[in-house]
Amino acid sequence: MTSPLPELPRLLVDEAVKAALLEDFGRAGDITSQATIPEDAWAKASLVSRQHGVLAGIDLMISAFCQSDPEFLLEIHEDDGNHIEPGSVVATIEGPARALLSAERVALNFLGHLSGIATATNLFARKIEHTKCKIVCTRKTTPGLRAFEKYAVRCGGGANHRFGLDDAILIKDNHIAVAGDVVTAISRARDFAGHLVRIEVEVDTLDQMRDALTAKPDVIMLDNMGPELLAEAVEINQGQAILEASGGINLDSVQAIAESGVDLVSTGWITHSAPVLDLGLDIKIG
């Protein structure tokens, strides 16, 4: 990890897990476990990684088991942000067998999904670690899970873009189309924004970038430009604004884009398309 991880608010974690458990339990609870497992059965399980990856979501996993039954005893062996190998034991969980089986899927869904995002982010981050550039996420997140997915990006060595529509101004092509031109859009934003609110503008061409610079935005997003155009943009900019490359960036293209000299590379893929990290629960009856 390149920087300390933020803490996920306990209330946010517990409320999200509660909703997921209620969705899974439905009207009658886990009728399979009720039908096949004695009420007093006790079990111990190891939560094990099946793949190489970067871990994220431990707090949500803990909450899933503890909300299912407060009697659980959990021993955590790996922390968020840790690189894990196939066979790594992430946690040991001991408690009522019915509750263990009932909470298993919710716990693994959160942990696998967020660890997948952290792992995907880390693949990008490692490609550009020799540059000054950072990999950042976008608002292309699962509804209701944005805070957790952006946390997972941090676990993987990335950084966060804005969290919502209210914490930064990002002027995109449609805003410019309605406003009339890029300078007008930025000027209106500058008049509107408080002193702590940053202003970013998306441009499609170098001429549009030159126009944007006259209005002094804080950040310029360079949309769908290749490495050569990006390098030219860096030269034109001369450090006036933070430069962010965006649009269709993948693992094959990210290194050359970062080497152009831009400050940030943003991609929605790490949150909306990252594969789930394969983790499983191996149960022993005791």
Side-chain angles (χ1 to χ4, degrees):
M1 294 180 291
T2 57
S3 61
L5 293 176
E7 289 187 12
L8 287 170
R10 170 54 53 191
L11 181 61
L12 190 68
V13 169
D14 287 343
E15 286 300 310
V17 171
K18 179 181 178 181
L21 287 170
L22 287 171
E23 176 184 58
D24 216 17
F25 276 57
R27 294 166 297 177
D30 179 4
I31 60 174
T32 306
S33 293
Q34 292 173 34
T36 60
I37 307 297
E39 186 176 2
D40 61 352
W42 195 264
K44 185 174 183 180
S46 297
L47 201 161
V48 181
S49 174
R50 315 294 194 209
Q51 293 178 290
H52 298 274
V54 179
L55 199 61
I58 286 290
D59 281 352
L60 289 106
M61 178 272 292
I62 293 172
S63 181
F65 287 113
C66 290
Q67 287 197 55
S68 181
D69 196 301
E71 290 189 48
F72 275 115
L73 304 173
L74 290 93
E75 186 175 354
I76 307 303
H77 306 295
E78 300 284 354
D79 295 323
D80 285 350
N82 284 9
H83 289 253
I84 53 178
E85 306 293 333
S88 293
V89 178
V90 173
T92 305
I93 305 110
E94 186 174 356
R98 282 187 181 180
L100 183 65
L101 291 164
S102 298
E104 174 186 4
R105 180 43 49 202
V106 168
L108 292 179
N109 280 350
F110 277 119
L111 192 62
H113 175 57
L114 297 182
S115 296
I117 290 172
T119 300
T121 302
N122 190 251
L123 292 175
F124 277 86
R126 286 164 55 193
K127 285 271 190 179
I128 64 174
E129 61 186 357
H130 62 291
T131 73
K132 69 171 185 176
C133 191
K134 292 182 180 179
I135 187 77
V136 299
C137 52
T138 70
R139 284 169 48 242
K140 295 177 181 178
T141 56
T142 308
L145 297 183
R146 180 172 295 169
F148 305 127
E149 293 178 346
K150 283 183 172 285
Y151 169 80
V153 167
R154 292 282 299 274
C155 290
N160 295 146
H161 211 284
R162 60 179 180 162
F163 272 71
L165 295 172
D166 63 336
D167 61 343
I169 291 176
L170 175 46
I171 303 165
K172 306 203 78 176
D173 53 356
N174 285 334
H175 298 103
I176 294 168
V178 175
D181 61 77
V182 66
V183 173
T184 299
I186 297 170
S187 297
R188 288 175 179 171
R190 185 66 68 193
D191 290 340
F192 176 87
H195 68 287
L196 294 180
V197 178
R198 284 198 169 188
I199 298 170
E200 179 172 9
V201 62
E202 177 188 67
V203 301
D204 301 315
T205 67
L206 295 182
D207 284 341
Q208 196 179 31
M209 176 189 170
R210 290 186 181 93
D211 289 341
L213 283 171
T214 66
K216 302 187 183 304
D218 300 298
V219 188
I220 296 178
M221 179 187 292
L222 305 163
D223 189 42
N224 284 298
M225 295 187 187
E228 291 184 4
L229 276 180
L230 291 171
E232 192 173 344
V234 171
E235 182 63 27
I236 293 168
N237 184 54
Q238 292 292 308
Q240 296 178 73
I242 295 169
L243 296 184
E244 173 188 338
S246 186
I249 295 166
N250 56 43
L251 280 171
D252 293 328
S253 63
V254 68
Q255 180 174 328
I257 287 171
E259 289 173 349
S260 71
V262 296
D263 302 291
L264 306 169
V265 172
S266 61
T267 173
W269 186 89
I270 56 177
T271 50
H272 67 60
S273 296
V276 170
L277 189 70
D278 189 5
L279 298 136
L281 206 64
D282 298 334
I283 295 180
K284 296 180 180 178
I285 302 299

